[in-house]
Amino acid sequence: MSRFGPDPQAFFNAVYQAAAPWDIGAPQPAMAALLGKYPPADPVLDLGCGSGDLVIYLAQLGHRVLGIDFVETAVEDARAKIRALSPEAAGLLRFQAADALELSRLGEKFGAVVDSDFYHLFDPDQCDRLIDEIASILHPKGCYYMHEFDIAFPVPNVPRQVSADEIRARFTAERGWRIREIQSVEFLSRIADPAPAICACIERLAAPQANSSPIDQV
Ligand SMILES: C[S@@+](CC[C@H](N)C(=O)[O-])C[C@H]1O[C@@H](n2cnc3c(N)ncnc32)[C@H](O)[C@@H]1O
């Protein structure tokens, strides 16, 4: 069972009937900074794009971007924002209703995958599947960018804590990953003070390697 009940899609559908608490009208600043430090290769895929601000930000920087979310209302909200964009930016982005746990069904490969508060929605067994799916659609040398909660809340229906140790344990050279950087950052919301969060930039290797590679910085 998901952390969000037997029907997580219904849970998120209900959240989007009002302004979602994570919808700050802009990308998470720490994610934007990470993308500035490690510029993504195109095309970029945004997992659980919500109302689309990170996709729009990347398109305005000149990237080709696809944002996917399984909530139709979120995708419609995102598409409605396209009208305010320049023709150049509008021509670079797409939004699609899709399940981000079934990325191979998209039938496309990507130069980068961005994940702004998506991975932390899932318990560890589901994250195994998510990482396999990401690996299946990411070009070698492409990067996976994460921004997740690094705090545990003792209430139901909230994301889980993601630690630097978990990221190091999952994204190993033996499994075909190289961690470029892990940072302690903040999660901003519309409804509460900033919360502790973690950001990472993780490169997909051309092939699994026997030895673990060092992390650039923690
Ligand atoms: C915490 S919100 C983050 C939204 C956006 N990335 C942001 O930073 O504002 C998580 C998003 O993931 C979406 N989501 C959850 N599970 C999903 C799934 N299996 N496939 C696609 N989208 C999903 C939710 O609908 C929601 O929009």
Side-chain angles (χ1 to χ4, degrees):
M1 165 119 71
S2 154
R3 303 176 66 75
F4 301 92
D7 187 349
Q9 195 168 6
F11 174 89
F12 283 100
N13 260 318
V15 175
Y16 278 107
Q17 296 313 304
W22 50 80
D23 210 341
I24 57 171
Q28 289 288 331
M31 174 61 96
L34 190 71
L35 288 160
K37 187 166 179 183
Y38 302 98
D42 287 354
V44 182
L45 174 65
D46 184 2
L47 307 179
C49 65
S51 70
D53 291 313
L54 179 56
V55 170
I56 289 169
Y57 173 77
L58 285 165
Q60 287 174 326
L61 290 177
H63 292 286
R64 281 184 292 126
V65 201
L66 170 64
I68 62 168
D69 202 289
F70 70 178
V71 173
E72 292 276 359
T73 310
V75 172
E76 285 164 14
D77 290 350
R79 285 188 181 135
K81 294 178 181 173
I82 296 176
R83 288 193 288 274
L85 302 181
S86 69
E88 292 76 21
L92 289 171
L93 59 78
R94 291 174 292 149
F95 294 107
Q96 184 176 327
D99 187 341
L101 292 178
E102 297 190 348
L103 297 177
S104 32
R105 295 182 67 168
L106 294 173
E108 295 180 47
K109 299 273 186 189
F110 296 88
V113 174
V114 296
D115 169 337
S116 175
D117 307 300
F118 181 73
Y119 173 100
H120 69 183
L121 304 178
F122 303 100
D123 284 329
D125 56 331
Q126 289 176 297
C127 288
D128 289 340
R129 173 178 164 200
L130 173 60
I131 293 168
D132 287 347
E133 287 287 303
I134 293 167
S136 76
I137 53 93
L138 190 54
H139 288 307
K141 298 211 173 291
C143 288
Y144 172 44
Y145 302 78
M146 309 175 76
H147 178 281
E148 321 296 334
F149 273 167
D150 190 5
I151 182 172
F153 293 100
V155 290
N157 296 331
V158 293
R160 71 183 177 89
Q161 181 170 20
V162 178
S163 69
D165 283 349
E166 172 177 337
I167 293 172
R168 284 191 210 98
R170 282 187 178 280
F171 294 95
T172 61
E174 292 84 353
R175 292 180 182 162
W177 298 98
R178 180 170 80 101
I179 297 172
R180 304 284 302 274
E181 182 160 350
I182 300 176
Q183 303 171 346
S184 290
V185 296
E186 289 186 331
F187 167 89
L188 305 190
S189 79
R190 298 176 51 256
I191 57 164
D193 290 339
I198 193 158
C199 248
C201 176
I202 306 164
E203 182 183 335
R204 184 70 186 153
L205 301 173
Q209 294 180 4
N211 299 317
S212 294
S213 50
I215 301 171
D216 292 348
Q217 188 182 331
V218 174

